[in-house]
Amino acid sequence: MDEDEPLPSYEGLAAAFAKAKAEKERDEAQGLRATTGNAAAANKQGEVHFKASHGILIAFFSWILALHALGIYLFTSGFLLTRLVLEHRSHCSVPPIDVAGSYTPGSPDAGCWHPKTFDKAIVIIVDALRYDFTIPFHPTEPEKPRHFHNSIPFLYDTAVKHPNNAFLLPFIADPPTTTLQRLKGLTTGTLPTFLDAGSNFAGTAIDEDNLIEQLHNASKRIVHLGDDTWHALFPGYFESNLTHAYDSFNVWDLHTVDNGVTEHIFPLIHPSNTSQWDVIIGHYLGVDHAGHRYGPEHPAMTAKLNQMDDIFRRMVDQLDDDTLLVVMGDHGMDAKGDHGGESDDEIQAALWMYSKRDRFGRSSPSYNIPPATAKERPVSQIDLVPTLSILLGMPIPFNNLGAPIEEAFIGPKGNDFQNLATVSRLTAAQIHRYQQEYTRGKGLDDTTRATALSLWDTANGAWTSLGGSKRSTHDQLHHISSAFLAYQAETLSICRALWAEFDVPRMLHGVQILALTLLTLGLYARGLDGERAELTPILLTRGIIGTLLGAGLGMGISFAFSQLPREHVVIYTTAVGSIAGISTGFWHIRRRLVSPLPNSIWGWVCVTVTVALSAGFAANSFTIWEDEILLHFLCTFGILGALSSFRQKNSIDRALGCYHSILFVVLTRIASLSRLCREEQMPYCVSTYYASANSSTSATWQLAIPYTVAFLLPNFIRSYYKGTRNFQGSVVTWFDFALRFGLLLSAAYWTLDTADDGDWYPGYGEMLKTTKTIIAQLVFAIALAFGYSTFAWSKPFLNIETKTRGATSSSDQVVADGGTSSITILGYANVHGSRYAFLVTMWFLAITLVQKPMGAGAIGIAWWQIFSLFEIIDTNKLSDTPVGPVVLGLLGSFHFFKTGHQATLSSIQWESAFIPLRTIKYPWSPLVVVLNTFGAQILCAIAVPAIVLWKQPPKKKGLLGDVAKAIGTHILFYAVINLATTMWAGHLRRHLMLYRIFSPRFMTGALVLLTVDVVAIFIALGGARISFLSVGEVFGWTG
Ligand SMILES: [Zn+2]
Ligand SMILES: [Zn+2]
């Protein structure tokens, strides 16, 4: 059969094989083989046996996944900060302390606890308005103003020129700096708990006392415009006929939300409409989105800030005398325009208040100029809560911990210390009331707050000694208000420390579960001698029995001792029970156990690398420089591979091994050119992932990368198929047409995206957006829909030749020989490897699409390295060692960094959710973000079975067990890293760098482990089933 002849169909191939065999048999009239009937029955039995073994392996690894999830959950729930949420509400008629002077409290119209200052308020949130955006930039040579400098001068100018009408102050956010968390802080006045950070994707209603609820209960009409996060937090509180909410997650859209807010807010401010509302909340998102999309250092940011400046000028023109105007940022943004963490740039927002009538003042003339940096005279974001409550005559929300802002209460002359002392006392008294309730609810003793209580007594004593006399001096009153504020500050710091409490038993039990699971997996992956597919059923059965017994025991204990936390007890006993169960399973097959410690140099290299990596996570510098350390490990592996290849006896193996090892090192080096630096790596690191260090868009030249990938890479990978003569059948169509076309479309997607970003075709933005979304969906369809149907239905990538005796043929192709003719199967030697590796190429296409241009290059290199690794493993005969799965783990971890990620919250490329979709759709949007973030680890995990299948003939026994062993080893690598980062995070929980470095690394490790578990089980092991069935169909089952 020559190359031009039409390729046989799936059945056709089997038929051709059978026909050729039959012809050969007839020609040679040997007739000594088993009868066809018996053979068919044995074959069927082999297939059934395979399917059952495979199903058991899936169940076994799923069970490991469940244990990982339980361990991680238990640790995380003890590790992340917890706070008791009090249900109490403040009431207008019940001030926290007797009200000074002749004022009668209880009327929202006059002011609940204190006479109100304003009737109405317009509160504008400019999302991510960083403090340094709002103050003039005074360049020191050789610095030049950036795009974000001097673009919104109005706030500063009014504060300087009209200090009685306006003030501007740094406004410090409590991390995590995500909008949802900030809005909670800005309305309740309390501190965030870390667990809440994860719920940013789906906000839930606030169940604590808050300013919006207080306004609503006082029958104030609240209008909301802009970011729809508010509706998730405060469902039903807004005037539905006037309110307009907009989707907040489309970070690539800079204008829809802003234009919507502006369009609706000005008619409402118009004098003819002011009677329809009491408070307007306008939430602009353009600045934040410009940051996410372009970074602060971009003309789009200048334009956005100019637009905001213009809006505020117009608002001030229209404002009436009794309305307060507040403008603030909910957080800042880092150098790339992202936020979420606790770096200075992320927490430093701006606060500006404005009143037409003279209301505000400064206690010192030097305060007339707003602070030059956010380090001077900052106010906390929670300070807005008591300030706004008192100014609008509302009670202070029950859980508030903030303090009143001096500028708002000191009076136009800057000397109304009576007023300042009164509001400081009210605020402190509410905090005192809250503290008493909290202490009662949590069962705390008074020793933790002894200092705070004595500060409270001092302040009260000073107040009482004055007896409210009218002739108190400014100094005395100033002293009193400082004393109350000292109590507030002390309580705040106590709460910060208190809510940083960890539930150590939970954390320890979580670590124990992870450690025991690790031992189980280690023994399974490296300590079993024999066919894993045959040993797994007994382990699984015992494991399930243990799980059930453990769960029952936990239930029993938690009912018997009701003071124990039930969920904690049940999870712990279930996990320990199931591991105890599997241990009896291991005991049962103890003759098959061998030492899991390696017995070769290569094995020890793997152990050393993994242990070194794990130990290193104890040091912040190691964690910060993880990307560079992985680079060195991978290069070392390549060099060892080359040295080992030199020692091979077979000259072809020697040459191939050396070539692929050197290629592996070179590719690692090229990939290392792509970097995204984390803040702590500065100034010793240059980011190249985006156009510049201050940008979050790709440079135009980087578009060449996806095109290069599309034109060259399929040829390179094709050569691995050609090398073993497996470039046959549907794989030809795939490489030469579908894959290449998909890659070109993906490059086209990023070209359109750049065109859209750079506004190359003004007026066609909408068209570009629609086109690129369609293109992205098309690429996914090619990669996964077309890819999977090809993968599922195609025959092994082989070709069959029948030759008469005498024709020369190379030794690795002949399967049946003897007599006068021979059947030659081209690609026989690598039938398993080539068939399975198709899956890697499909997922490569899907992952490439969701990476930015630089990331497409990195993933392309990872793909190429994976195929080189197959060859290195094969030529050095390492497929039975842990080398392949461990190096794939290193490779996945390395390319995680090379695709523009870091173990930080702010490096998550949320906008990738919008590549194939224009709005958030569950579950797809989070899945796309996962595919973007962990694309490298996912691709490497899918490649694991190919390590043992590469260049394996169809009839080899025990291959499925070898696949299980490789997958087990690969998961083991990530499980060690996860256990190490978890233990270090727990151990270093009081470390200064916990939330900057150790905690994000622990969360990354946990998420990677769970992702790799899922991918290894359902994509890799699941894919192996399809591939084995296809090979078995043609060559039969060996049982
Ligand atoms: Zn925000
Ligand atoms: Zn944002």
Side-chain angles (χ1 to χ4, degrees):
M1 210 183 276
D2 61 44
E3 294 238 281
D4 294 340
E5 209 171 305
L7 295 155
S9 68
Y10 189 51
E11 293 76 17
L13 186 68
F17 182 66
K19 184 167 157 247
K21 209 167 148 189
E23 277 170 4
K24 180 174 176 293
E25 283 167 9
R26 189 197 58 216
D27 289 352
E28 292 159 25
Q30 283 175 339
L32 290 169
R33 296 192 169 83
T35 63
T36 325
N38 284 350
N43 208 33
K44 188 71 202 160
Q45 203 185 350
E47 187 183 336
V48 170
H49 183 76
F50 166 79
K51 284 181 179 169
S53 309
H54 181 270
I56 285 169
L57 285 178
I58 294 263
F60 177 78
F61 281 108
S62 303
W63 177 74
I64 293 281
L65 161 68
L67 285 174
H68 282 154
L70 289 180
I72 289 169
Y73 170 77
L74 210 54
F75 178 85
T76 312
S77 60
F79 179 67
L80 298 180
L81 310 187
T82 47
R83 168 166 66 87
L84 179 69
V85 172
L86 293 187
E87 305 274 296
H88 299 65
R89 299 298 196 257
S90 290
H91 295 283
C92 190
S93 54
V94 191
I97 199 163
D98 65 292
V99 171
S102 56
Y103 188 68
T104 321
S107 151
D109 291 329
C112 280
W113 299 348
H114 188 77
K116 70 174 178 184
T117 316
F118 296 96
D119 291 336
K120 292 164 175 286
I122 301 170
V123 179
I124 303 291
I125 289 113
V126 178
D127 209 283
L129 183 67
R130 204 164 76 188
Y131 184 66
D132 63 342
F133 293 0
T134 61
I135 49 167
F137 180 67
H138 300 293
T140 48
E141 284 300 327
E143 267 189 293
K144 283 206 193 87
R146 311 268 197 165
H147 286 290
F148 54 81
H149 280 131
N150 304 329
S151 302
I152 182 163
F154 181 64
L155 311 180
Y156 182 87
D157 290 349
T158 43
V160 173
K161 283 191 204 129
H162 311 287
N164 294 336
N165 304 95
F167 63 87
L168 173 66
L169 287 171
F171 196 42
I172 308 301
D174 289 297
T177 47
T178 55
T179 303
L180 179 82
Q181 288 302 311
R182 292 295 76 242
L183 295 187
K184 287 187 177 178
L186 285 165
T187 51
T188 61
T190 188
L191 299 174
T193 48
F194 209 81
L195 203 56
D196 284 328
S199 53
N200 205 358
F201 248 91
T204 41
I206 292 185
D207 50 5
E208 287 177 89
D209 196 3
N210 63 76
L211 187 54
I212 305 296
E213 188 183 303
Q214 290 290 352
L215 288 164
H216 183 72
N217 290 347
S219 307
K220 303 282 182 191
R221 290 153 304 167
I222 317 166
V223 176
H224 166 262
L225 303 168
D227 186 335
D228 62 358
T229 312
W230 287 86
H231 288 263
L233 293 174
F234 307 103
Y237 289 149
F238 305 116
E239 296 294 297
S240 51
N241 53 336
L242 300 174
T243 289
H244 298 271
Y246 299 88
D247 184 15
S248 57
F249 279 112
N250 195 348
V251 292
W252 284 11
D253 177 351
L254 270 55
H255 302 296
T256 306
V257 180
D258 290 7
N259 293 346
V261 176
T262 308
E263 178 193 332
H264 293 108
I265 206 165
F266 281 102
L268 287 171
I269 307 178
H270 192 270
S272 59
N273 289 322
T274 47
S275 59
Q276 295 184 38
W277 53 271
D278 296 297
V279 174
I280 298 179
I281 293 163
H283 193 140
Y284 285 97
L285 284 173
V287 171
D288 175 69
H289 289 185
H292 287 301
R293 184 164 161 178
Y294 303 108
E297 177 60 345
H298 191 279
M301 183 61 82
T302 316
K304 206 71 226 181
L305 291 171
N306 285 334
Q307 184 193 354
M308 291 293 125
D309 194 71
D310 180 55
I311 286 168
F312 301 141
R313 282 172 205 273
R314 284 167 57 202
M315 277 184 189
V316 163
D317 283 345
Q318 291 197 24
L319 203 67
D320 66 29
D321 281 358
D322 297 311
T323 303
L324 168 69
L325 175 60
V326 184
V327 171
M328 62 184 158
D330 56 342
H331 47 74
M333 57 175 75
D334 66 10
K336 292 191 328 340
D338 299 320
H339 57 88
E342 53 180 312
S343 70
D344 283 351
D345 278 346
E346 287 164 283
I347 62 169
Q348 294 170 348
L351 171 70
W352 178 77
M353 286 202 189
Y354 181 88
S355 154
K356 263 253 156 96
R357 237 187 254 172
D358 290 357
R359 305 276 193 204
F360 303 137
R362 313 284 189 278
S363 61
S364 154
S366 63
Y367 291 173
N368 278 352
I369 306 286
T373 72
K375 299 282 179 204
E376 300 158 45
R377 297 199 289 124
V379 295
S380 178
Q381 293 204 341
I382 53 175
D383 294 348
L384 183 77
V385 174
T387 306
L388 216 51
S389 299
I390 298 172
L391 288 177
L392 294 175
M394 291 293 114
I396 300 169
F398 198 86
N399 298 351
N400 167 65
L401 293 170
I405 296 169
E406 184 181 286
E407 278 75 357
F409 299 101
I410 196 74
K413 295 204 180 93
N415 61 2
D416 196 349
F417 287 101
Q418 176 80 42
N419 190 38
L420 186 64
T422 310
V423 298
S424 303
R425 178 172 168 265
L426 268 178
T427 310
Q430 175 52 44
I431 292 174
H432 187 65
R433 183 156 73 172
Y434 165 70
Q435 276 300 294
Q436 282 175 320
E437 290 299 329
Y438 191 88
T439 311
R440 197 177 302 158
K442 241 302 92 142
L444 297 175
D445 54 36
D446 280 352
T447 48
T448 26
R449 44 193 211 113
T451 333
L453 287 174
S454 81
L455 285 172
W456 170 251
D457 291 339
T458 315
N460 261 319
W463 174 269
T464 327
S465 70
L466 276 189
S469 82
K470 285 276 172 222
R471 275 174 296 176
S472 335
T473 65
H474 288 167
D475 276 355
Q476 285 170 317
L477 287 162
H478 197 178
H479 170 73
I480 289 175
S481 82
S482 307
F484 280 115
L485 292 179
Y487 167 74
Q488 177 268 338
E490 173 66 18
T491 310
L492 183 59
S493 77
I494 291 174
C495 289
R496 265 187 222 285
L498 200 65
W499 295 334
E501 280 291 329
F502 301 93
D503 187 340
V504 177
R506 264 182 185 259
M507 289 162 61
L508 278 178
H509 287 158
V511 167
Q512 279 174 19
I513 295 174
L514 290 175
L516 290 172
T517 312
L518 183 86
L519 288 177
T520 309
L521 187 62
L523 203 53
Y524 179 81
R526 310 303 319 170
L528 279 186
D529 181 26
E531 240 289 49
R532 266 164 200 74
E534 279 162 20
L535 298 176
T536 312
I538 178 81
L539 297 177
L540 187 66
T541 323
R542 299 287 181 109
I544 290 170
I545 295 171
T547 308
L548 296 175
L549 289 177
L553 181 70
M555 288 291 194
I557 293 177
S558 63
F559 276 111
F561 305 94
S562 54
Q563 76 277 18
L564 292 174
R566 175 169 305 165
E567 168 213 55
H568 176 171
V569 171
V570 173
I571 289 178
Y572 184 66
T573 54
T574 307
V576 172
S578 73
I579 291 166
I582 203 175
S583 307
T584 67
F586 277 121
W587 178 252
H588 188 77
I589 54 166
R590 59 191 176 279
R591 280 169 226 279
R592 299 295 200 82
L593 294 183
V594 291
S595 162
L597 291 176
N599 48 15
S600 66
I601 297 177
W602 274 112
W604 278 110
V605 168
C606 294
V607 171
T608 314
V609 165
T610 314
V611 170
L613 207 56
S614 308
F617 289 120
N620 46 10
S621 56
F622 184 98
T623 312
I624 292 167
W625 293 98
E626 193 184 346
D627 50 350
E628 292 294 283
I629 287 155
L630 288 167
L631 168 68
H632 290 294
F633 281 168
L634 283 173
C635 287
T636 310
F637 163 74
I639 292 163
L640 287 177
L643 292 176
S644 158
S645 301
F646 266 120
R647 297 172 51 235
Q648 297 298 319
K649 294 199 178 66
N650 181 321
S651 62
I652 295 171
D653 277 353
R654 193 159 58 224
L656 266 181
C658 285
Y659 165 71
H660 286 294
S661 301
I662 293 165
L663 179 66
F664 190 88
V665 176
V666 171
L667 289 176
T668 308
R669 280 279 158 197
I670 296 175
S672 74
L673 297 177
S674 164
R675 294 189 79 177
L676 178 89
C677 307
R678 57 187 290 164
E679 203 197 346
E680 293 84 0
Q681 290 178 325
M682 298 299 180
Y684 308 105
C685 172
V686 181
S687 283
T688 52
Y689 192 75
Y690 294 111
S692 76
N694 296 316
S695 165
S696 52
T697 47
S698 304
T700 312
W701 71 263
Q702 287 172 332
L703 283 178
I705 298 171
Y707 284 103
T708 314
V709 168
F711 281 111
L712 295 181
L713 261 188
N715 295 353
F716 297 149
I717 307 300
R718 200 171 61 176
S719 69
Y720 291 86
Y721 274 79
K722 287 197 163 162
T724 54
R725 309 225 180 181
N726 291 101
F727 197 63
Q728 315 275 0
S730 20
V731 81
V732 179
T733 332
W734 173 254
F735 271 101
D736 287 353
F737 300 102
L739 177 62
R740 201 183 294 273
F741 183 56
L743 288 171
L744 277 175
L745 281 180
S746 164
Y749 172 88
W750 287 102
T751 313
L752 289 181
D753 179 71
T754 313
D756 186 21
D757 266 2
D759 221 5
W760 293 357
Y761 305 103
Y764 288 91
E766 198 52 33
M767 208 177 91
L768 287 178
K769 282 186 185 64
T770 315
T771 317
K772 70 181 190 182
T773 312
I774 294 172
I775 288 182
Q777 290 173 351
L778 199 58
V779 177
F780 268 122
I782 293 174
L784 300 179
F786 178 74
Y788 261 109
S789 48
T790 311
F791 182 64
W793 299 113
S794 66
K795 61 202 178 297
F797 309 130
L798 301 164
N799 213 340
I800 292 175
E801 276 181 3
T802 315
K803 286 181 183 162
T804 47
R805 195 85 183 127
T808 49
S809 56
S810 63
S811 59
D812 62 335
Q813 298 158 15
V814 180
V815 287
D817 208 351
T820 56
S821 69
S822 66
I823 309 158
T824 304
I825 302 182
L826 297 174
Y828 181 81
N830 192 17
V831 58
H832 269 297
S834 61
R835 183 68 179 80
Y836 178 81
F838 184 87
L839 191 67
V840 183
T841 68
M842 284 159 47
W843 279 96
F844 161 69
L845 176 58
I847 293 169
T848 306
L849 169 71
V850 296
Q851 305 297 334
K852 301 195 170 173
M854 201 71 170
I859 282 289
I861 288 176
W863 189 44
W864 195 356
Q865 286 184 291
I866 286 171
F867 278 86
S868 268
L869 182 65
F870 297 160
E871 295 289 346
I872 298 173
I873 298 292
D874 174 64
T875 53
N876 288 290
K877 296 161 195 70
L878 295 173
S879 69
D880 198 41
T881 67
V883 175
V886 170
V887 173
L888 280 176
L890 292 173
L891 203 58
S893 311
F894 175 66
H895 284 282
F896 166 77
F897 294 104
K898 300 300 119 186
T899 48
H901 301 96
Q902 283 286 354
T904 59
L905 213 62
S906 59
S907 73
I908 299 174
Q909 299 170 16
W910 294 112
E911 63 275 20
S912 56
F914 298 101
I915 291 173
L917 296 166
R918 292 195 65 178
T919 53
I920 296 281
K921 281 202 183 74
Y922 294 95
W924 307 113
S925 303
L927 282 179
V928 175
V929 177
V930 168
L931 201 60
N932 166 284
T933 310
F934 302 123
Q937 285 101 332
I938 292 174
L939 191 69
C940 289
I942 297 174
V944 171
I947 288 281
V948 288
L949 295 177
W950 197 252
K951 298 202 179 165
Q952 297 299 340
K955 298 275 189 181
K956 185 170 176 193
K957 281 199 175 194
L959 269 182
L960 182 64
D962 291 346
V963 169
K965 181 178 179 179
I967 285 179
T969 311
H970 189 66
I971 294 176
L972 190 63
F973 171 81
Y974 286 111
V976 173
I977 304 283
N978 169 57
L979 179 64
T981 51
T982 307
M983 281 168 53
W984 291 127
H987 181 67
L988 299 168
R989 61 188 181 277
R990 300 287 177 204
H991 196 284
L992 200 61
M993 288 292 157
L994 178 68
Y995 288 113
R996 274 199 187 198
I997 293 173
F998 299 110
S999 175
R1001 186 62 191 85
F1002 142 68
M1003 287 192 281
T1004 311
L1007 287 174
V1008 167
L1009 177 63
L1010 296 177
T1011 309
V1012 166
D1013 274 345
V1014 171
V1015 169
I1017 298 166
F1018 298 104
I1019 302 180
L1021 201 51
R1025 182 181 198 266
I1026 297 174
S1027 160
F1028 271 84
L1029 284 175
S1030 142
V1031 174
E1033 188 117 0
V1034 174
F1035 293 98
W1037 297 92
T1038 47

